[in-house]
Amino acid sequence: MSIAVCPGSFDPITVGHLDIISRTAKLFDQVIVVVMINRKKPSGVFTPEERVDFIRRSTADISNVTVDFYDGLLAEYVEKKGAVAIVKGLRVLSDYEDEFKQALTNKKLAENVETIFMVTDTQYMFLSSSVVKEVCSFGGDISDFVPAQIKDDIVKRLRER
Ligand code: ADP
């Protein structure tokens, strides 16, 4: 059975993330979406539990997707799960430099695991969790940015801050 891992902060999940996850689910038998703490973005808005819950609800109709939280080394996690690939989404060139370094590091740490870059759908090129938080905090409509099942909860949480 081929297992892929889609890691990220998912603070919160967007329709851009969901597109990468659902396309990955067509290529592998099982996909594990794992919420991780990005040390470069320490001040997340949503708790790990909320992020996991949002992803679970957003992927409920994709039968081969499971969701997890891990606060540790990705390479270690992937090997522990017996996964063969880490799948990352790429939007703009600026994503590439850091992702490239991470991929080389993970190859060094887990030599049997491949990092696969999936190019974003053009309609999601601009989209990130930060865009969602910014637009919503100024009262903008995020209906096109996050999965419909979680939109109201995200708006409520962001506006009560
Ligand atoms: P991280 O903190 O690790 O960058 P993110 O939650 O921001 O975590 O992103 C997780 C993954 O999803 C990354 O590989 C990122 O490039 C990808 N991603 C984020 N937004 C999009 C998008 N709109 N289209 C395609 N991939 C995306």
Side-chain angles (χ1 to χ4, degrees):
M1 186 170 77
S2 62
I3 303 173
V5 170
C6 289
S9 308
F10 302 106
D11 186 40
I13 185 173
T14 69
V15 286
H17 290 127
L18 187 58
D19 178 58
I20 298 291
I21 295 165
S22 56
R23 286 159 63 195
T24 303
K26 290 185 188 143
L27 301 176
F28 293 87
D29 296 320
Q30 204 199 329
V31 178
I32 307 172
V33 182
V34 63
V35 173
M36 306 197 79
I37 303 300
N38 186 339
R39 301 283 186 255
K40 291 180 199 139
K41 307 175 189 167
S43 51
V45 169
F46 296 96
T47 65
E49 292 75 19
E50 286 175 309
R51 299 180 202 189
V52 165
D53 174 62
F54 288 151
I55 303 169
R56 282 209 177 109
R57 285 157 59 195
S58 306
T59 58
D61 60 347
I62 316 175
S63 61
N64 58 340
V65 171
T66 57
V67 189
D68 199 4
F69 169 70
Y70 189 68
D71 189 16
L73 257 188
L74 176 61
E76 214 170 79
Y77 179 82
V78 169
E79 282 193 323
K80 205 164 71 180
K81 293 290 171 183
V84 293
I86 297 167
V87 179
K88 305 294 301 273
L90 277 187
R91 285 159 295 187
V92 284
L93 197 58
S94 53
D95 275 347
Y96 181 76
E97 196 177 343
D98 194 44
E99 292 292 355
F100 187 64
K101 277 190 252 172
Q102 283 183 44
L104 290 176
T105 308
N106 286 326
K107 190 71 185 164
K108 191 86 188 153
L109 296 173
E111 62 176 352
N112 295 320
V113 178
E114 301 297 340
T115 295
I116 296 174
F117 293 117
M118 193 172 276
V119 174
T120 186
D121 190 302
T122 48
Q123 62 178 317
Y124 305 127
M125 256 180 91
F126 70 98
L127 189 54
S128 65
S129 302
S130 311
V131 164
V132 169
K133 288 178 276 199
E134 196 173 336
V135 169
C136 189
S137 66
F138 287 109
D141 181 12
I142 57 165
S143 302
D144 288 341
F145 301 167
V146 297
Q149 334 40 338
I150 59 170
K151 190 201 93 183
D152 289 348
D153 287 349
I154 289 178
V155 171
K156 190 162 162 263
R157 266 289 268 113
L158 289 175
R159 298 215 173 130
E160 78 194 4
R161 288 200 307 149

